[in-house]
Amino acid sequence: MITDVFCKILKGELKADVVYKDNDFWVVKDINPQAPIHLLIIPVKHFTSLEDFMEGDNNGLLGKGLVVAHKVAHQAGIAEKGYRLIINEGEHGGKMVPHLHIHLLGGKRLGPKLVK
Ligand code: 5GP
């Protein structure tokens, strides 16, 4: 794992290309995009992981994250053709940044699906 660069972005300590923000979520462009559109939907409140998130009373927050994903997919013009949302969790999931986030990828036909 690398340090929590997303908390640094949220605190203004690290520059990022922010495409959306509200009280609960910021959406930034991934620094190493894996598709023409690669956005990261990041909760403002810090959760290291989905495991961490489940421990608190955060009912509805992840649902709101999906609403934000839908909104920015439309904003980016990829909603009609489609996109993929991914949460990498833990070592086997390949998570690198210890701050819960949802990847939104689109803008081209995406690579092979892990789930058939
Ligand atoms: P994970 O593997 O944790 O699910 O994804 C972390 C993502 O954060 C990666 O896609 C990586 O490219 C992105 N990332 C890492 N450091 C930075 C950064 O400083 N700024 C931005 N915008 N994205 C970052």
Side-chain angles (χ1 to χ4, degrees), residues 1-6 8-9 14-18 28-34 38-40 42 86-90 93-103 105:
M1 289 231 193
I2 59 175
T3 57
D4 183 358
V5 286
F6 298 159
K8 287 182 189 269
I9 289 171
L14 191 64
K15 264 190 84 180
D17 204 340
V18 181
V28 304
K29 291 188 181 175
D30 196 292
I31 204 167
N32 182 24
Q34 302 300 306
H38 185 172
L39 302 175
L40 302 167
I42 303 170
I86 297 172
I87 296 178
N88 295 319
E89 181 72 2
K95 187 193 195 78
M96 293 299 294
V97 176
H99 186 123
L100 181 62
H101 55 283
I102 306 169
H103 293 257
L105 297 128

Side-chain angles (χ1 to χ4, degrees), residues 47-60:
F47 304 101
T48 303
S49 63
L50 199 53
E51 293 299 314
D52 182 21
F53 177 83
M54 291 302 171
E55 278 170 21
D57 178 16
N58 299 299
N59 269 350

Side-chain angles (χ1 to χ4, degrees), residues 20-39:
Y20 174 89
K21 49 164 102 159
D22 65 26
N23 290 338
D24 296 319
F25 287 92
W26 284 27
V27 181
V28 304
K29 291 188 181 175
D30 196 292
I31 204 167
N32 182 24
Q34 302 300 306
I37 303 290
H38 185 172
L39 302 175

